[in-house]
Amino acid sequence: MLFRSYAQRCREAYKDCTIVLGGIESSLRRIAHYDYWSDKVRRSILADAKGDILLYGNAERAVVEVTHRLAKGARPNDLDDVRGVALLKPTVPEGWTESHADDIESSDEGAAQKPGESVVVRLPSYEQVSSDSETYARASRVLHRESNPGNARHLVQRHGDRELWVTPPPIPLTTPEMDGVYDLPYARAPHSSYADTKIPADRKSTRLNSSH
C-alpha cells in the first residue's frame, strides 16, 4: 500500500522521473503474490505501484549500474540484462525460447532446456494464479526453483497486456565488496519517528558496533 502511495506522489511531483522500487517488500512481491492485508492475490508490486523498474535481492551492484545507465539516457526497458531486476515489457524480446511452466498439465514445470538456447521460463499469468490456487502454487514453486544465482533463468509472467520480465538473481558480493558496503558512513540510527523510544535491538546493535 505504501509503495503505491509513495510512487503516486513521486509521479505527481516529478512527472518525468524514473521510479525505481527496491527493498525487501519489492523482493517478496516481484511477481503476482498473495497479499495478507487485502486477502487476495495481487499483481507484481511493480505493476500495482506503476513503477518503472524493480530491484530485488542484494542490489548493491544493480543500483549502481542502473543509476549510471539511466544517467546516460538508457530507458528502464533497456536494462533487461542487469541481474536482479524486474520490468514490464509489451512482448517477449526476439531470440528467446519460452519454457512453459504455465501449463498445469505439464509435469516438468518448465524445467526442460536445450543446450545453447536463451530460455525464459513462462510462469502462469497473474490472471491464472489469481483464480486458481494450484496454479498459484506452481508459480511460487518455479520462482523458488529459479532462485539460485548459479543456474537461475529469466522469468516472464503475463499481467494483462504486458509481460513482467524478471532477470536471474544477483551474484553474491565478494568479501572485499561487502567490506566496502559496510564501511560506508551509515547513520546507524532508528527512524526519527521513534523519537526517544528505547529500542532494545538498537541498543544491542550499538554495543556490538562499539566493540569493533
Side-chain angles (χ1 to χ4, degrees):
M1 297 293 286
L2 286 176
F3 266 103
R4 293 192 292 277
S5 298
Y6 289 152
Q8 182 179 350
R9 295 295 178 265
C10 289
R11 192 74 75 188
E12 290 172 357
Y14 306 98
K15 299 188 184 301
D16 297 326
C17 72
T18 298
I19 296 179
V20 181
L21 306 183
I24 190 168
E25 291 295 333
S26 290
S27 295
L28 295 173
R29 299 166 185 260
R30 62 187 182 272
I31 68 168
H33 59 280
Y34 175 71
D35 179 68
Y36 287 91
W37 295 101
S38 57
D39 191 25
K40 65 179 182 181
V41 175
R42 300 194 67 97
R43 301 181 299 169
S44 164
I45 197 168
L46 181 64
D48 261 2
K50 296 182 173 60
D52 295 300
I53 188 169
L54 179 154
L55 308 185
Y56 75 90
N58 55 303
E60 290 84 359
R61 291 196 198 99
V63 71
V64 173
E65 182 171 357
V66 166
T67 301
H68 286 176
R69 288 172 61 175
L70 288 175
K72 292 178 181 178
R75 299 172 303 170
N77 269 3
D78 297 331
L79 305 176
D80 56 7
D81 59 332
V82 179
R83 278 181 170 265
V85 307
L87 40 86
L88 291 162
K89 291 178 169 291
T91 59
V92 173
E94 293 183 5
W96 289 85
T97 300
E98 291 191 25
S99 186
H100 283 271
D102 60 337
D103 179 5
I104 201 66
E105 301 301 325
S106 173
S107 60
D108 79 341
E109 297 186 322
Q113 179 176 354
K114 295 180 181 179
E117 287 184 332
S118 295
V119 172
V120 57
V121 179
R122 176 164 290 284
L123 298 172
S125 68
Y126 161 70
E127 289 76 16
Q128 287 177 287
V129 300
S130 62
S131 60
D132 181 77
S133 58
E134 186 175 351
T135 311
Y136 178 92
R138 167 167 290 198
S140 181
R141 187 162 56 235
V142 173
L143 175 69
H144 284 85
R145 186 191 72 201
E146 301 295 335
S147 63
N148 184 335
N151 58 14
R153 296 170 291 175
H154 289 70
L155 303 174
V156 65
Q157 185 179 49
R158 193 76 176 170
H159 279 57
D161 61 352
R162 294 185 294 175
E163 302 282 11
L164 176 73
W165 185 266
V166 183
T167 65
I171 300 296
L173 297 177
T174 63
T175 299
E177 285 176 321
M178 189 170 292
D179 287 343
V181 169
Y182 283 94
D183 280 342
L184 293 172
Y186 296 107
R188 303 187 190 280
H191 192 276
S192 57
S193 63
Y194 287 104
D196 296 327
T197 303
K198 302 299 182 184
I199 305 173
D202 176 59
R203 296 172 67 186
K204 180 177 181 181
S205 175
T206 302
R207 289 197 300 270
L208 288 174
N209 288 327
S210 62
S211 68
H212 292 294

